[in-house]
Amino acid sequence: MAAQMIREWSGIQQFPAATQTKLLELLGKLKQENVSTLTILVMGKGGVGKSSTVNSLVGERVVAVSAFQSETPRPAMVSRTRAGFTLNIIDTPGLIEGGYVNDQALEIIKRFLLNKTIDILLYVDRLDGYRVDNLDRQIIKAITDSFGKAIWQRSLIALTHAQLSPPDGLNYDDFFSRRSDAILKLFSVHDLDVCLDFRVVDVEIPVVLVENSGRCRTNESEEKVLPNEIAWIPNLVETITNVVSNGSKSILVDKKLIDGPNPNERFKFLIPVILAFQYFIVIKPIQRTIKNDIRKESKPLWEQRDMGLANRQF
Ligand code: GDP
Ligand code: MG
């Protein structure tokens, strides 16, 4: 990424003073920990609010938002600097198409990320989704297969459309925890019955709420708040900084990670073992059997007759 393309993070000034103070404080904390660049990869299904969340975080309309299909066909990285700190956010196309993981989109994302370091994976879904299904499982598996299990240690789940009234008279916090439990269960061992080869992720992934709508309620400091009174932008950024400081490593997307283990190389070490097995367990016994057979083989009749005749002559 060329340095001249990185713009000043002016969008931060769009936030109310209370949010700005909190954000600058969090950036200061990161700088104290020698983190001066933060690259956030945003992923999830189509239409869940990935691009809107990118815009909300940057405080500017930097990527296109669409209520209907045909969203961003390829990944886009937005970079902003502020007081020596660089924020990179990578928006990506939705990973599900026609009921399956869009492998082509995933390939494009992987190529785009080549030689970049991912500090945070922001996995976006909607709060107002009422079930998780095999598609969710597939998408999480695809991300795990692409970037390794370790990426989940650097991740958080953002649930958009968070300004909702829960159905069936449920309490907001209960609804939120039931929805996050359902999503987190995708990562747990208990879900193995549905997808046997799914690899378990044994980290606790934080779940945060997001409301991108311009009609989001505000508090007396003019910060956008959710029904539980949480100012969601500072809360999201604070959770991101907590994940950055959780002791896990950022993910460097290099060629090896993208290509995965070469299937031709994978079991190469087994070749001498297989050859030895073939020789001692298969070929040798067969040879032995053949030799025995030859030894024991009864002589043809004419030979026996000749021999008999010969015997009689003596
Ligand atoms: P993407 O496909 O995941 O990038 O989703 P978009 O950001 O393009 O959003 C899809 C649609 O959902 C758009 O019409 C957005 O205005 C809307 N949307 C996104 N996030 C929210 C949210 O938090 N609340 C509400 N009410 N609408 C949202
Ligand atoms: Mg989008």
Side-chain angles (χ1 to χ4, degrees):
M1 173 104 205
Q4 65 268 25
M5 285 171 74
I6 304 178
R7 289 214 239 131
E8 182 73 16
W9 190 4
S10 51
I12 208 166
Q13 286 152 16
Q14 309 300 314
F15 296 129
T19 302
Q20 282 188 46
T21 311
K22 183 82 200 205
L23 295 191
L24 293 174
E25 187 189 308
L26 290 167
L27 298 191
K29 199 180 134 212
L30 284 178
K31 278 189 79 182
Q32 265 175 17
E33 294 178 25
N34 287 329
V35 180
S36 58
T37 305
L38 199 60
T39 303
I40 304 175
L41 172 66
V42 183
M43 284 187 130
K45 288 174 285 188
V48 291
K50 296 181 299 297
S51 303
S52 307
T53 307
V54 170
N55 290 340
S56 295
L57 256 177
V58 179
E60 285 174 62
R61 201 177 181 287
V62 281
V63 283
V65 166
S66 158
F68 302 98
Q69 265 298 295
S70 76
E71 44 158 16
T72 354
R74 41 190 71 254
M77 179 152 102
V78 178
S79 300
R80 293 291 181 269
T81 62
R82 178 88 194 188
F85 181 89
T86 305
L87 174 71
N88 302 312
I89 309 192
I90 301 166
D91 190 18
T92 62
L95 281 181
I96 296 288
E97 202 175 84
Y100 293 96
V101 169
N102 183 349
D103 288 325
Q104 210 188 343
L106 191 61
E107 246 351 273
I108 293 172
I109 295 171
K110 281 157 75 175
R111 302 279 148 204
F112 182 87
L113 294 173
L114 184 63
N115 297 330
K116 292 190 175 66
T117 299
I118 306 167
D119 299 303
I120 289 286
L121 167 67
L122 188 66
Y123 182 78
V124 182
D125 204 337
R126 292 174 63 140
L127 175 63
D128 61 345
Y130 298 106
R131 55 194 79 218
V132 290
D133 57 23
N134 212 33
L135 275 186
D136 299 293
R137 210 162 279 116
Q138 276 185 39
I139 198 169
I140 286 165
K141 187 175 185 303
I143 295 175
T144 313
D145 289 345
S146 302
F147 304 108
K149 215 159 126 175
I151 193 147
W152 297 108
Q153 275 169 332
R154 279 279 173 161
S155 72
L156 63 155
I157 296 167
L159 299 180
T160 61
H161 295 72
Q163 198 179 50
L164 59 62
S165 305
D168 308 327
L170 271 172
N171 163 287
Y172 184 81
D173 287 329
D174 286 347
F175 181 77
F176 169 41
S177 63
R178 277 169 73 164
R179 175 75 177 136
S180 23
D181 285 352
I183 293 177
L184 291 174
K185 196 167 169 277
L186 287 169
F187 297 88
S188 87
V189 71
H190 309 295
D191 222 33
L192 284 179
D193 49 332
V194 195
C195 186
L196 282 170
D197 64 343
F198 186 73
R199 283 175 276 162
V200 182
V201 177
D202 47 8
V203 287
E204 206 166 301
I205 304 171
V207 185
V208 289
L209 292 166
V210 165
E211 177 52 75
N212 294 307
S213 165
R215 288 191 297 272
C216 183
R217 196 164 65 83
T218 52
N219 62 13
E220 66 282 1
S221 312
E222 288 177 32
E223 292 184 288
K224 288 181 170 181
V225 286
L226 302 174
N228 57 7
E229 299 305 321
I230 288 176
W232 74 263
I233 292 179
N235 183 55
L236 169 60
V237 178
E238 182 164 13
T239 314
I240 289 173
T241 54
N242 291 342
V243 173
V244 169
S245 326
N246 74 6
S248 60
K249 283 205 189 93
S250 302
I251 309 292
L252 169 66
V253 184
D254 55 13
K255 214 159 156 16
K256 209 171 87 213
L257 185 73
I258 284 186
D259 292 342
N262 181 344
N264 296 327
E265 298 283 324
R266 227 166 169 183
F267 297 111
K268 228 175 177 174
F269 68 96
L270 284 178
I271 291 174
V273 181
I274 293 169
L275 287 178
F277 174 84
Q278 280 187 341
Y279 184 71
F280 290 108
I281 311 292
V282 183
I283 298 176
K284 269 268 179 187
I286 290 177
Q287 278 179 341
R288 220 177 299 131
T289 315
I290 292 173
K291 271 186 195 154
N292 279 342
D293 275 359
I294 291 172
R295 216 172 347 107
K296 285 191 213 144
E297 191 190 17
S298 54
K299 304 267 188 262
L301 265 177
W302 60 267
E303 204 177 320
Q304 286 179 17
R305 201 185 52 225
D306 286 357
M307 279 171 69
L309 283 175
N311 283 344
R312 244 184 276 157
Q313 273 181 352
F314 281 96

